[in-house]
Amino acid sequence: IVVTGVTLSDTGATWTYSIPSVITPPDYITNAYTPTVTAPDESYTVYTAACFVYSRLPFFNANSRPSCKEASHATYASGGTLMESEAKRFVSNPPVNTGLPSQIATTLYGSAGPVQKQVAYTYDNYSNVIEKDESDFYSCSGTPCAAATTPPNGWLRKTFTTYQYQNNPAWLSAYIVN
């Protein structure tokens, strides 16, 4: 079942969903999967998916199938003016793709020009976040703005997390994280 629209009974407001057909391998590598959601005020958001094959286990005696998640989205006003975008980069440690975000760049577009902020994540070998870096908003150029590796003004805040197994290796053999 694919939902193509929802109308609220109390207000009559309608949300519409344009969802393309499912992409099958190897097409998910070369073709973007871009569903669109249109709000009652005619603003709309276009999503782009990134597809990962997490496992080499066969699925119904066929090749592994991808699992897709949101890689980016862009929100437009009813007239087509870009208002906001978000782009994600994912951790990729071939041959294993974790599908975890390594960087998220959020950009707001306004009359004073675009501004962007970033969040970057570092993970341990067990996919636990050990560092989260956050920037303040800064001016950027382009539509969309390209995310820099490091924000021009540096990081506003860095959060470091230490897990018990890092201080006490016995926790590894207790199967807490591995």
Side-chain angles (χ1 to χ4, degrees):
I1 296 175
V2 176
V3 175
T4 58
V6 173
T7 301
L8 304 177
S9 61
D10 58 343
T11 63
T14 300
W15 292 79
T16 59
Y17 305 89
S18 172
I19 302 171
S21 299
V22 175
I23 298 172
T24 58
D27 292 337
Y28 67 87
I29 295 170
T30 57
N31 295 324
Y33 184 72
T34 55
T36 301
V37 177
T38 304
D41 66 358
E42 299 299 320
S43 64
Y44 58 97
T45 303
V46 179
Y47 297 88
T48 302
C51 299
F52 303 92
V53 176
Y54 295 106
S55 170
R56 300 291 181 222
L57 296 175
F59 183 70
F60 295 111
N61 297 321
N63 292 329
S64 298
R65 296 290 189 252
S67 178
C68 301
K69 56 180 20 180
E70 180 189 328
S72 66
H73 71 260
T75 302
Y76 299 86
S78 60
T81 303
L82 181 60
M83 298 187 311
E84 182 263 342
S85 66
E86 182 179 274
K88 298 175 187 172
R89 291 184 183 153
F90 295 96
V91 174
S92 180
N93 298 322
V96 176
N97 289 315
T98 64
L100 296 170
S102 61
Q103 180 185 40
I104 301 172
T106 303
T107 309
L108 305 177
Y109 300 89
S111 60
V115 292
Q116 186 175 76
K117 71 175 182 174
Q118 293 185 47
V119 179
Y121 298 94
T122 304
Y123 301 90
D124 66 8
N125 291 334
Y126 304 104
S127 299
N128 296 309
V129 176
I130 56 173
E131 183 177 337
K132 178 181 177 184
D133 303 335
E134 300 168 87
S135 77
D136 200 354
F137 278 99
Y138 56 87
S139 295
C140 61
S141 60
T143 306
C145 291
T149 304
T150 303
N153 300 328
W155 298 107
L156 177 65
R157 174 176 41 214
K158 288 180 170 266
T159 304
F160 298 93
T161 304
T162 303
Y163 296 92
Q164 183 63 30
Y165 80 88
Q166 293 169 311
N167 298 323
N168 184 350
W171 282 64
L172 285 175
S173 62
Y175 302 105
I176 300 300
V177 294
N178 67 352

